[in-house]
Amino acid sequence: MSLIQIEVPDEVLISLKETKQTIHQQLCLMAAIKLFELGKLSSGRAAQLAGLSRVLFLITIGQYQVSPFDLTPQQLAQDVSNA
């Protein structure tokens, strides 16, 4: 496993009222969600980066208005109308 370090100013931790551990978890989750949203990672790999099961990751991304489906609104509407 590779280690990547990010420097976070103490003032940021204080402002967020978070610990180093919770910031670490949140940053990994946010990176995983964004990389999944951009199509850079599959849901399985993004879940691995976030430290979650794939199912929990897919449930969690909905809380951030990220769709687990790789469809445009037009494609989704067409799929729904064809069903």
Side-chain angles (χ1 to χ4, degrees):
M1 182 177 290
S2 296
L3 174 67
I4 298 174
Q5 294 181 338
I6 299 174
E7 290 186 27
V8 178
D10 291 334
E11 294 81 11
V12 172
L13 293 175
I14 292 167
S15 294
L16 294 173
K17 297 180 175 82
E18 298 287 349
T19 66
K20 290 178 185 180
Q21 182 60 31
T22 57
I23 288 296
H24 172 265
Q25 292 168 338
Q26 289 178 1
L27 289 174
C28 286
L29 176 62
M30 295 300 115
I33 290 171
K34 193 61 179 180
L35 290 168
F36 172 75
E37 183 179 32
L38 294 172
K40 301 269 187 185
L41 287 179
S42 67
S43 60
R45 289 291 180 234
Q48 187 178 22
L49 176 58
L52 302 173
S53 70
R54 184 172 176 266
V55 171
L56 185 55
F57 177 77
L58 291 172
I59 291 169
T60 302
I61 63 174
Q63 297 169 356
Y64 296 91
Q65 287 76 49
V66 174
S67 173
F69 305 106
D70 188 22
L71 297 174
T72 65
Q74 295 79 14
Q75 290 171 322
L76 184 57
Q78 184 177 4
D79 282 357
V80 169
S81 67
N82 290 338

